[in-house]
């Protein structure tokens, strides 16, 4: 039998069902999944973004084919809904990590889901760089590695930081989805403890903590973006 509005409001104010030790553990698990997956998504996404940008500008037939393959893979994994991606990657996750449950078991899906997304943001960031600056570096005989290190990365750094901020926030949402199927974290707490037991105060606390994490990530991202951007 459902609760009355007064009962729900009273529950949310007094929070009789909230076990704060569980909340802190769930928060740690969410932060663990978010931080680790963001770091790896940044590394792999940056590599993919560089490969996409460089191969797209090359006139070599091999580079064009290479771009088409990488672009297809990126688009493919971006198009797969995250919860389906988790299920598809269960054999791979089990093989690599030896487990498919808990925060660690969610990492492969989080990384593989986020890296292609960030790769496109990286490619877009590079495309926004003044073409004259890049062409000048090429005309002076700079190698591809030098152009990447001395031109692309410094010029696009504000956009790269902004992009990883967006990616990290998206990953917080993905950890909540992963939590619903047993990965732990605040999503797991909100669903298994809050929703299934009809404990609205647990759902509220979980939601508030997720929002706090998102706001902190956004603040940190904006801070560094503003510090780096000299325009």
């Amino acid at each position: 039998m459902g609760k009355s509005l007064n009962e729900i409001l009273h529950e949310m104010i007094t929070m009789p069902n909230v076990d704060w030790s569980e909340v802190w553990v769930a928060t740690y698990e969410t932060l663990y999944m978010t931080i680790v997956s963001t770091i790896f998504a940044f590394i792999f996404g940056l590599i993919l973004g560089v490969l996409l940008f460089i191969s797209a500008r090359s006139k070599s037939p091999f580079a064009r084919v290479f771009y088409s393959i990488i672009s297809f893979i990126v688009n493919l994994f971006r198009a797969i809904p995250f919860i389906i991606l988790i299920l598809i990657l269960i054999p791979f996750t089990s093989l690599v990590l030896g487990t498919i449950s808990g925060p660690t078991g969610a990492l492969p899906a989080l990384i593989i889901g986020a890296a292609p997304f960030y790769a496109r943001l990286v490619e877009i960031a590079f495309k926004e760089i003044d073409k004259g600056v890049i062409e000048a570096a090429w005309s002076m005989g700079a190698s591809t590695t030098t152009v990447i290190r001395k031109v692309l990365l410094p010029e696009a750094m504000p956009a790269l930081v902004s992009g990883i901020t967006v990616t990290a926030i998206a990953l917080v949402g993905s950890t909540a989805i992963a939590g619903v199927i047993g990965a732990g974290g605040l999503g797991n707490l909100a669903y298994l403890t809050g929703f299934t037991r009809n404990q609205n105060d647990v759902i509220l606390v979980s939601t508030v903590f997720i929002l706090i994490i998102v706001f902190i990530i956004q603040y940190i991202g904006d801070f560094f973006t503003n510090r780096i951007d000299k325009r």
Side-chain angles (χ1 to χ4, degrees):
M1 192 172 177
K3 299 177 182 179
S4 67
L5 178 59
N6 287 335
E7 288 175 328
I8 293 174
L9 292 175
H10 181 268
E11 185 178 90
M12 288 184 173
I13 293 172
T14 59
M15 298 185 181
N17 303 306
V18 177
D19 183 339
W20 290 104
S21 63
E22 290 184 354
V23 173
W24 294 122
V25 170
T27 301
Y28 166 78
E29 291 173 341
T30 295
L31 288 172
Y32 167 76
M33 288 187 285
T34 302
I35 292 171
V36 173
S37 57
T38 298
I39 291 172
F40 281 97
F42 174 78
I43 295 171
F44 294 136
L46 186 62
I47 293 172
L48 287 172
V50 169
L51 291 175
L52 285 169
F53 181 78
I54 295 298
S55 59
R57 294 178 63 86
S58 176
K59 297 180 180 179
S60 166
F62 171 78
R64 294 291 183 178
V65 173
F66 181 77
Y67 174 83
S68 298
I69 294 172
I70 298 296
S71 182
F72 173 79
I73 294 173
V74 167
N75 290 337
L76 176 65
F77 282 101
R78 285 179 63 204
I80 300 174
F82 180 69
I83 195 165
I84 296 177
L85 182 63
I86 293 177
L87 300 177
I88 292 174
L89 291 175
I90 284 177
F92 173 77
T93 302
S94 179
L95 177 65
V96 173
L97 300 178
T99 180
I100 60 172
S101 61
T104 300
L107 290 178
L110 290 168
I111 295 168
I112 292 174
F117 173 77
Y118 184 58
R120 284 301 183 191
L121 296 181
V122 171
E123 184 184 18
I124 292 171
F126 290 157
K127 287 181 177 179
E128 292 178 349
I129 299 174
D130 186 353
K131 292 182 179 180
V133 176
I134 300 174
E135 295 299 334
W138 288 119
S139 64
M140 293 174 63
S143 66
T144 301
T145 303
T146 301
V147 170
I148 293 171
R149 288 192 302 108
K150 300 293 186 180
V151 179
L152 295 182
L153 294 180
E155 291 291 327
M157 190 56 66
L160 297 179
V161 173
S162 180
I164 198 60
T165 302
V166 173
T167 304
I169 290 174
L171 278 167
V172 175
S174 296
T175 64
I177 297 173
V180 172
I181 60 172
L186 292 165
N188 181 80
L189 183 66
Y191 179 74
L192 291 182
T193 303
F195 179 75
T196 60
R197 300 179 186 177
N198 198 24
Q199 296 177 353
N200 296 287
D201 51 343
V202 175
I203 297 175
L204 175 63
V205 169
S206 301
T207 303
V208 169
F209 270 68
I210 288 174
L211 290 174
I212 290 173
I213 292 173
V214 169
F215 290 150
I216 291 174
I217 292 173
Q218 188 65 64
Y219 175 80
I220 294 173
D222 290 343
F223 173 79
F224 282 105
T225 300
N226 293 331
R227 288 291 297 271
I228 295 171
D229 194 350
K230 302 301 182 182
R231 291 174 295 179

